[in-house]
Structure formats: C-alpha cells, structure tokens
Amino acid sequence: MHIQNKMLINGEWVDALDGATIDVVNPHDGSLITKLAEAKEADVDRAVAAAKAAYPSWGALQASERGHLLLKLADKIEECAEELAQLESLDTGHPIRDTRNLDVKRTAFCFRYFGGMADKLEGTTIPVEEGFLNYTSREPIGVVGQIVPWNFPLMFTSWKMAPALAAGNTVVIKPSEITPLSTLRIAELMLEVGFPPGVVNVIVGYGHTAGACLSEHEDVGKIAFTGSTATGQRIVQASAGNLKKVQLELGGKGANIIFEDADIQKAVGGSAWAIFHNQGQACIAGSRIIIHESIADEFLDKFVALASSIRLGDPSNPETEMGPLTSKLHQERVLEYCEIARQEGGEILLGGKKPSDPALANGCYVEPTIVRGKATDRIAQEEVFGPFVTVITFKDDEEALAIANGTEYGLGSGLWTKDISRAHKFAREIHAGMVWINCYKRVHPASPFGGMGKSGYGREMGFEVMREYTQVKSVWVNIDAKIPPFYQR
C-alpha cells in the first residue's frame, strides 16, 4: 500500500522546513504507520502563498473546465477504491466493510456532484426603479483554508474541497494529524488528473500551530472547519484580523425520539445505526434516545440484544462491524464518561468498558455502551463522541420536545412515529439543522448539512454550500434613467 508522508505545496511533495515530523499510529494495535512531515507557521505561509498565486488563473478558468477536472477525479477515486478503503481503515479504524461500501463511494459521489455543479451558479435580476438594470453575480472568495476532522477524513475531504474548487477558489487543506493519509492520497490523485500546481495544497500539523496560523492568515479569505465547539470558538476569534468568512460544523448531541406508535423493530435498527456506526464518532450521532415510557422496556430489550451482537474486531476483517476508536486519547475520554455515568447514578445496561478479548488489548476499543439516565445528567448534555448512548424516558409530547431541545447543541435529530402531523410538528419545533423522520443519519451531496446554536453555522452540501464559497456582487446599469439635476453642470 502506497503511503504519502510529505506535504503538498505548489504541486510538489515537500518536507517541513524545519524537518519536524508527526507519528501516525494504527488505532487497532498501536503500531506506527509512518512519520509525516509536520507543518508549522512557515510551511503554512508557503502553502497560502502558492494558493494565492494560483487563484487568478483558476478563478478565471471556465467553470465547466473546473467541473471536468472534478469529474475526472471522481473516476480516478473509483479506480483506486480498494486502495483508498484499505488506507482509510488502517488510519482511522473504520471497518473495511464501511470504507468500501460507504466512505469511498460517498467521496467519489461528492466530487462528481460538485463537478456537475461547477457551471450551475446563477445570478439574479432585481426589479428596481425605472431606467436601471440591477443584477447580481456570484464570485469566488479566493484562498480558502479548510480544516478536516479525524472521524471521516476521506469523506470530509470531498465535502470541503469539491464545492470550494467548483466555485473557483484555491485551497489550503489541513487534515487531522491523527488521520491524514487518505487526504494526502486524494491530493496525489488530483495531480494525476491534471489539477494545476497551487490550486490544492495539503499541510498536516497540530491545531494550535498550523490550524491557528491558517485561521489567522491575512491572505486566507475564508476558513471552513469541522470539529469541536471549543475549537470553533477559537477559530472565530482568530478570524477577526482580516474579517475572513467562517463556516463551522461543530459538536452535536443528537436527540433520537421514539414515540409510542413507532415501528419498534425499525426504530431499534435505525437507532443502532444512529449511534454505533463508526464507533459513534459522528457529530450527528443519535446519542440521546428519548423514548416513551410505555414502550421503553420492549424497545430496550431489543436494542440491548442488537447492540450485544455487534462484532468488534480488526477493521481490516470484512466481518467486523465495529472497529477501534481513532486514538488512545479519545478511548480514554469515552471511558471517562462511562465512569461519569456510574458516578451520576446511571444504569449501565451494556458495555461501559474495554472489550475483554486479548487480541484487542493494544487497540483503542470500547464496547457498545447503553446507559439509562436523566436529561440533566452530564452524559445527556455533553458530547461523548463514542459508542455511548444515553436513554431517557418521557410521558408526553411536550416533555419529549423539552428534552430534545434541552442542550446547547442543534445539529442532527430524529424521530420515529406513524403520526404524520406529529412528525411535521416536531420537525418544525426541534432546534436542529437536520431532522430525520423514521430514519436517521441520511446524507446526500444535494442536501444541506449543518447546525444551529453551538453546533455552528453555515452549511455543507447542496446549492447552499456553493453560496458559502462565493460572494455576491450587485451591478447597477443606467439604461435610460435621468441624472439628478444636482450633477448636471
């Protein structure tokens, strides 16, 4: 398997100026995968300068030509699908069955969607006073800084880069130092299909150094970030120097409401997908199951049985359904929340510990964990970001809505009911950027993705994100309007 361990700046693979490196570790067994060039301030400056120099010609390129390169990249990703799937599993701990069937396919699909979107940007004609034509056009921002999280690095690389490039921007992208390998491989494929030097630059470094420098940089016109709310708040502060545009997709504490009339079997399967897919490492995870008290016991009997059957193991094994968490530090964080649940008097119905299998002892594994608790518990308020779900019961719809909206987050949410009026009412009243009805965690390149409150602002995906990566210009044309008398002399 080919592994790139340098950074891409101006079309060339280079080491860090000071020779610094970062260890990239396999979360399955703790072994070293590679040492990777670590970007610091001087390296960020080089990357931004390359993107700035490439912008005029890239932004002026026919939009259909930009789209054509994105379409070629999508084809190339499909050609290299197995290699990318294995690389993503090795680096992140995602089970190979998911990287093959979801991550790689979604990545190619996203690049292809925005390849087709590139020449679809339209302005508007605005009715103003007689004698004037007023129209708008959308123009690229310029150099865009993008910071990709460690939980879905391959997929989020496409979510970030595809619309930015389609809109005519150049990019400096920083994947997480924990999981950078698939982003670097995508960059290699971009060079192969003909992206010009400097249009895409990839740097890998720590958030407090490379990420902070990118967020503060005077020549960066926009910063797009996916990650924690605390880091997002620091990015907003860092962006103030040149008032750059900011787009944030931050934390979540997804409410997953099961009403008394729900199809319990479907709700059980959908709720397991909502929280245990990718080991629960998803901002939109359904990490709070809010269930009507009349069906709680029946639902939990089935839900615990299903969760107990999930196969933990080596992510390279096609039979594995749940792999390790992505880092030792994160494993410790999730286990700490298991201890917090015990201290708060939560009833641990399943899990709450590392697996006992000695073959998994060196990895970052945590068992699927289900805890009955209260809406005000820390485990129901704070983002755990692991295979950990808090179960809360409710008596009526009013209480269910209050619990659902009872956190500072507002990203994803779901509900299970046969009552269509109730479904639409809750979809309207839940404080969240996305609501799934009788399903959970569905995404598509055409559908806006983003949150409210401390879950951030701005949107990924769809036509909304093309607006995020452009700025509007208003043009006035005097057709036959009279000039005011004051100016006629």
Side-chain angles (χ1 to χ4, degrees), residues 87-216:
L87 189 64
E88 189 79 338
S89 288
L90 174 70
D91 199 18
T92 66
H94 294 198
I96 190 70
R97 60 189 287 166
D98 288 342
T99 57
R100 282 174 178 159
N101 297 320
L102 294 174
D103 297 21
V104 175
K105 290 182 178 179
R106 286 176 172 178
T107 299
F109 186 25
C110 186
F111 278 116
R112 183 166 287 117
Y113 177 86
F114 285 104
M117 179 70 84
D119 59 359
K120 307 301 187 295
L121 275 172
E122 297 178 347
T124 57
T125 302
I126 302 169
V128 291
E129 59 260 41
E130 187 177 353
F132 289 94
L133 168 66
N134 181 221
Y135 66 89
T136 64
S137 62
R138 303 204 70 91
E139 300 179 354
I141 292 167
V143 177
V144 171
Q146 302 182 319
I147 301 176
V148 175
W150 48 260
N151 56 328
F152 288 99
L154 180 62
M155 189 173 71
F156 280 131
T157 292
S158 67
W159 285 26
K160 289 281 189 288
M161 285 206 295
L165 295 170
N169 303 283
T170 54
V171 167
V172 178
I173 189 167
K174 190 194 89 65
S176 168
E177 70 280 2
I178 300 171
T179 57
L181 301 183
S182 57
T183 304
L184 291 164
R185 184 63 184 130
I186 291 293
E188 289 182 321
L189 300 182
M190 297 178 94
L191 294 182
E192 288 182 27
V193 302
F195 279 81
V199 170
V200 172
N201 305 271
V202 184
I203 55 171
V204 180
Y206 295 102
H208 66 277
T209 52
C213 181
L214 194 59
S215 301
E216 296 168 354

Side-chain angles (χ1 to χ4, degrees), residues 58-376:
W58 178 254
L61 189 66
Q62 192 78 18
S64 59
E65 290 300 313
R66 297 196 299 266
H68 180 62
L69 283 171
L70 291 168
L71 295 173
K72 287 175 67 176
L73 176 61
D75 292 340
K76 195 71 174 178
I77 289 169
E78 289 174 344
E79 288 177 26
C80 301
E82 181 61 22
E83 176 196 2
L84 285 165
Q86 291 186 21
L87 189 64
E88 189 79 338
S89 288
L90 174 70
D91 199 18
T92 66
H94 294 198
I96 190 70
R97 60 189 287 166
D98 288 342
T99 57
R100 282 174 178 159
N101 297 320
L102 294 174
D103 297 21
V104 175
K105 290 182 178 179
R106 286 176 172 178
T107 299
F109 186 25
C110 186
F111 278 116
R112 183 166 287 117
Y113 177 86
F114 285 104
M117 179 70 84
D119 59 359
K120 307 301 187 295
L121 275 172
E122 297 178 347
T124 57
T125 302
I126 302 169
V128 291
E129 59 260 41
E130 187 177 353
F132 289 94
L133 168 66
N134 181 221
Y135 66 89
T136 64
S137 62
R138 303 204 70 91
E139 300 179 354
I141 292 167
V143 177
V144 171
Q146 302 182 319
I147 301 176
V148 175
W150 48 260
N151 56 328
F152 288 99
L154 180 62
M155 189 173 71
F156 280 131
T157 292
S158 67
W159 285 26
K160 289 281 189 288
M161 285 206 295
L165 295 170
N169 303 283
T170 54
V171 167
V172 178
I173 189 167
K174 190 194 89 65
S176 168
E177 70 280 2
I178 300 171
T179 57
L181 301 183
S182 57
T183 304
L184 291 164
R185 184 63 184 130
I186 291 293
E188 289 182 321
L189 300 182
M190 297 178 94
L191 294 182
E192 288 182 27
V193 302
F195 279 81
V199 170
V200 172
N201 305 271
V202 184
I203 55 171
V204 180
Y206 295 102
H208 66 277
T209 52
C213 181
L214 194 59
S215 301
E216 296 168 354
H217 208 289
E218 290 291 320
D219 289 330
V220 172
K222 170 179 174 172
I223 193 82
F225 170 77
T226 297
S228 73
T229 297
T231 302
Q233 290 169 327
R234 290 195 292 272
I235 286 173
V236 171
Q237 294 169 350
S239 71
N242 69 340
L243 298 178
K244 61 173 59 66
K245 195 172 184 179
V246 179
Q247 178 185 339
L248 301 172
E249 194 264 283
L250 307 176
K253 196 66 181 174
N256 183 26
I257 309 171
I258 319 293
F259 290 97
E260 71 278 6
D261 65 340
D263 183 318
I264 290 183
Q265 200 60 42
K266 289 181 180 178
V268 165
S271 298
W273 166 257
I275 186 59
F276 296 128
H277 169 240
N278 193 34
Q279 298 74 254
Q281 298 171 132
C283 50
I284 56 173
S287 54
R288 292 182 297 151
I289 293 178
I290 303 167
I291 185 168
H292 194 276
E293 59 185 14
S294 67
I295 59 166
D297 290 342
E298 180 185 0
F299 176 90
L300 286 171
D301 284 346
K302 291 180 168 61
F303 187 64
V304 170
L306 175 57
S308 301
S309 72
I310 293 173
R311 293 187 293 272
L312 274 70
D314 185 340
S316 67
N317 184 343
E319 298 300 314
T320 294
E321 295 174 321
M322 182 183 290
L325 298 176
T326 302
S327 72
K328 186 65 68 176
L329 184 66
H330 195 60
Q331 179 196 40
E332 293 169 358
R333 172 184 166 86
V334 174
L335 291 171
E336 181 182 340
Y337 273 102
C338 295
E339 184 56 33
I340 289 170
R342 295 183 181 94
Q343 293 171 0
E344 291 185 321
E347 180 186 1
I348 297 180
L349 304 179
L350 184 70
K353 62 186 187 302
K354 300 177 185 179
S356 57
D357 185 350
L360 308 181
N362 292 329
C364 306
Y365 290 88
V366 175
E367 291 182 351
T369 299
I370 304 170
V371 183
R372 285 191 82 152
K374 303 183 297 297
T376 54

Side-chain angles (χ1 to χ4, degrees), residues 445-463:
S447 181
F449 184 105
M452 303 174 178
K454 287 195 175 180
S455 289
Y457 49 78
R459 292 294 180 266
E460 309 272 15
M461 316 289 259
F463 208 90

